[in-house]
Amino acid sequence: MTFRYANGVPTSTENATADILKAAADPKVISFGGGLPAPELFPVEKMKAAADKVFDKYGQSVLQYAETLGYPELRKQIVKLMHDRDVETTFDNVGVVGGSQQAIDLVARMLINPGDVVITEDPTYLAAIDVFNSYGAKMVGVEMDEDGIKTDALAKTLKEYPEAKFIYTIPNFQNPTGRTMTVERRKELVKVADEAGVPVVEDDPYGAIRYAGEFLPSLKHFDKDDNVIYLSSFSKVLAPGMRMGWLVASKEFMAKFTIIKQNADLHSDNLTQYIIAQFLEDNDIYAHIKKITDVYEHRANLMLQLIDEKFPKNVHHSTPEGGMFIWVEVPGVHTEDLFKECIKHNVAFVPGSAFYANAGKDGTFRMNFSNMNDEQIKEGIDRMAKALKVVMPK
Ligand SMILES: Cc1ncc(COP(=O)(O)O)c(C=O)c1O
């Protein structure tokens, strides 16, 4: 049987990303390619205690169907987490989702008709590009620098595409670049978006895992017109396998979102919501986050120091203050050639071209530092340095 697939379904199941993941999955390969948190930091015992308590306290009710926007106690906890992030919101503005990935998908489903323009940072999160493409969006990338998206270029793009459906941005420790948008740019972004009447989708899965520099208020903090839809997640601060995230938006948006979420899955996993709410009640989440950020700071600094020592001198890298990624630029090198050479040396990364909305920039790649221990980082960088020697133009 040949199915007549909908337009959003890719015509081929083979793509560069699948090939990369396959190559990197070989146990001999040291992979800086994935985006996985460090599993040894998952709070297994505390989560187990929370789960036991939930079953003892609530029994059958946690296994029942439940409210579409989420378990009320968890939504109240999220209002508190948002307050800690300098965003005052209410229970009615919060919806629980199956990871921020589901929020990206449902927001895209609500806003994109085929052919609509979506503005993103260039480069941006690969799986968001895939989602927006699946709804038939026309993607327009806006250049970034070390301070985040260039807001003057964004203002120009908004003039060119006044009918754009939304701007998708990751202000903190961006995936893939690890860069953080400055406060000035945050204010400016909200201002130009408001003036253009184009909503902003602020994706913030990494903001809480800052290990250096100052806390910066989110775009939602500066949002006076209810123009920002804020997404975040428990994936990087607790555990990604639990698939729990949230979205904060205007009441009008949430009313419609409720119907779309219902269509997708009725509600997010009730049991997991109870367990996370119990965990948050019984534990200091910030003490747990500190354990994560201490390890990530150490790994990031080790990787950066070794890149500086062992990679060629003309290599440029970002210096993240949190999150999980470093962005590397190697002028003159074809990243695909470097990738093939690295695989021969049993080390992997993600070539940068995958992260661009339109034409990818050669000579760029993303390295993950959260998921490898010191020995793996040292050995992996040595192997990459050898591969770089082979492919660097002489
Ligand atoms: C920028 C960005 N947004 C969203 C997600 C999805 O995260 P979640 O596990 O919350 O669905 C990721 C995951 O890596 C990400 O990097």
Side-chain angles (χ1 to χ4, degrees):
M1 163 72 95
T2 307
F3 295 97
R4 291 187 293 278
Y5 288 106
N7 292 344
V9 178
T11 45
S12 164
T13 50
E14 287 172 20
N15 62 32
T17 316
D19 293 347
I20 291 161
L21 293 176
K22 207 164 115 198
D26 182 334
K28 287 196 300 296
V29 173
I30 294 179
S31 180
F32 302 132
L36 305 186
E40 64 275 26
L41 297 168
F42 295 154
V44 176
E45 287 309 315
K46 287 180 175 158
M47 208 53 87
K48 186 164 174 278
D52 283 345
K53 212 161 162 180
V54 161
F55 276 116
D56 291 346
K57 261 172 51 180
Y58 305 103
Q60 295 161 343
S61 64
V62 298
L63 300 176
Q64 188 55 282
Y65 284 119
E67 273 185 52
T68 297
L69 284 187
Y71 173 41
E73 286 310 311
L74 182 61
R75 286 162 72 198
K76 284 184 202 157
Q77 297 271 12
I78 291 169
V79 168
K80 271 199 243 156
L81 293 175
M82 293 304 296
H83 168 80
D84 298 344
R85 296 178 188 186
D86 246 359
V87 174
E88 301 311 327
T89 189
T90 74
F91 179 83
D92 296 325
N93 298 86
V94 172
V96 177
V97 285
S100 45
Q101 188 65 34
Q102 189 189 38
I104 294 171
D105 182 65
L106 296 181
V107 168
R109 194 187 298 191
M110 286 173 70
L111 296 178
I112 301 172
N113 286 318
D116 281 348
V117 168
V118 169
I119 299 174
T120 69
E121 288 152 348
D122 221 8
T124 189
Y125 174 46
L126 177 56
I129 298 179
D130 289 345
V131 169
F132 303 152
N133 278 332
S134 79
Y135 289 103
K138 172 178 155 58
M139 308 279 291
V140 177
V142 174
E143 206 188 332
M144 301 177 78
D145 61 17
E146 295 304 318
D147 292 340
I149 193 168
K150 289 188 171 176
T151 36
D152 49 353
L154 174 65
K156 253 195 219 154
T157 305
L158 284 166
K159 286 221 168 71
E160 208 177 321
Y161 299 102
E163 73 296 355
K165 275 300 176 74
F166 60 89
I167 302 158
Y168 171 76
T169 174
I170 310 159
N172 293 312
F173 327 124
Q174 198 235 21
N175 182 1
T177 62
R179 292 172 186 152
T180 295
M181 196 187 299
T182 59
V183 178
E184 291 67 33
R185 292 256 176 108
R186 289 171 195 235
K187 289 184 191 160
E188 190 59 21
L189 194 158
V190 172
K191 187 167 152 257
V192 295
D194 279 353
E195 282 166 5
V198 174
V200 178
V201 177
E202 175 178 22
D203 189 12
D204 187 27
Y206 300 105
I209 49 171
R210 175 184 278 282
Y211 49 74
E214 295 285 303
F215 163 84
L216 299 180
S218 61
L219 302 179
K220 188 78 192 148
H221 171 84
F222 297 112
D223 174 31
K224 299 288 169 267
D225 288 353
D226 254 349
N227 197 26
V228 176
I229 300 165
Y230 177 94
L231 325 179
S232 193
S233 172
F234 291 107
S235 288
K236 320 297 177 193
V237 294
L238 288 178
M242 300 182 88
R243 308 305 306 126
M244 275 300 134
W246 69 90
L247 144 157
V248 178
S250 71
K251 292 204 176 101
E252 184 245 317
F253 187 88
M254 292 312 292
K256 295 201 188 301
F257 177 82
T258 309
I259 298 164
I260 299 305
K261 169 75 177 158
Q262 239 167 39
N263 292 348
D265 59 359
L266 302 181
H267 59 79
S268 291
D269 182 298
N270 200 28
L271 173 59
T272 308
Q273 294 188 69
Y274 268 77
I275 295 172
I276 291 184
Q278 191 66 54
F279 179 96
L280 294 172
E281 198 180 316
D282 293 346
N283 297 281
D284 176 0
I285 179 87
Y286 297 107
H288 178 63
I289 290 174
K290 175 82 170 69
K291 286 189 197 152
I292 298 173
T293 50
D294 282 351
V295 172
Y296 289 7
E297 177 175 31
H298 169 81
R299 290 182 180 175
N301 287 342
L302 178 64
M303 191 177 266
L304 289 170
Q305 179 203 326
L306 292 169
I307 289 174
D308 285 339
E309 274 171 28
K310 308 216 163 171
F311 283 11
K313 288 296 161 241
N314 66 338
V315 162
H316 183 267
H317 61 75
S318 61
T319 305
E321 297 186 330
M324 310 198 321
F325 304 110
I326 297 170
W327 185 246
V328 185
E329 301 190 35
V330 248
V333 161
H334 294 303
T335 324
E336 301 298 335
D337 293 347
L338 177 62
F339 184 78
K340 284 186 197 135
E341 191 58 34
C342 278
I343 288 297
K344 284 190 209 158
H345 289 77
N346 287 324
V347 63
F349 56 82
V350 187
S353 52
F355 300 101
Y356 286 85
N358 309 114
K361 193 170 158 202
D362 202 8
T364 59
F365 56 93
R366 186 192 79 177
M367 292 176 69
N368 166 264
F369 54 78
S370 56
N371 191 243
M372 292 282 137
N373 64 31
D374 287 12
E375 284 320 304
Q376 290 165 316
I377 291 174
K378 284 179 198 156
E379 178 60 29
I381 296 282
D382 272 348
R383 292 181 193 179
M384 281 187 77
K386 282 186 194 134
L388 269 162
K389 280 209 180 96
V390 179
V391 297
M392 280 304 276
K394 302 287 177 294

